[in-house]
């Protein structure tokens, strides 16, 4: 199965990937994600890839109200 769906999350600042990985390990370890190899520090978003629409909805629900 491939990662066919995307989800764009509002994350600003540097070190987006380590911050998201830490949050995902603590709050969404059951959702498989594919992260980009790097993200420019100037961007205000992080786009990740997911395997299903259900995973996307679950992740968005858990991410609601979170500031990374």
């Amino acid at each position: 199965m491939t990662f066919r769906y995307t989800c764009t999350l509002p994350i600003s600042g540097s070190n987006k990937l380590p911050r998201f990985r830490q949050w995902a390990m603590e709050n969404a370890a059951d959702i498989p994600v594919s992260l980009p190899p790097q993200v420019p520090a100037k961007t205000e978003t992080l786009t990740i890839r997911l395997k299903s629409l259900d995973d996307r909805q679950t992740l968005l629900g858990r991410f609601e109200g979170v500031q990374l």
Side-chain angles (χ1 to χ4, degrees), residues 4-52:
R4 295 182 181 191
Y5 302 94
T6 62
C7 181
T8 302
L9 303 171
I11 301 177
S12 61
S14 60
N15 298 317
K16 290 174 190 62
L17 293 174
R19 288 187 288 144
F20 178 79
R21 280 189 191 108
Q22 181 66 35
W23 178 86
M25 286 176 41
E26 296 170 1
N27 300 290
D30 59 325
I31 301 173
V33 298
S34 175
L35 297 172
Q38 61 186 14
V39 179
K42 292 183 179 182
T43 62
E44 299 290 321
T45 60
L46 172 64
T47 300
I48 60 172
R49 297 183 62 80
L50 301 156
K51 289 187 175 188
S52 72

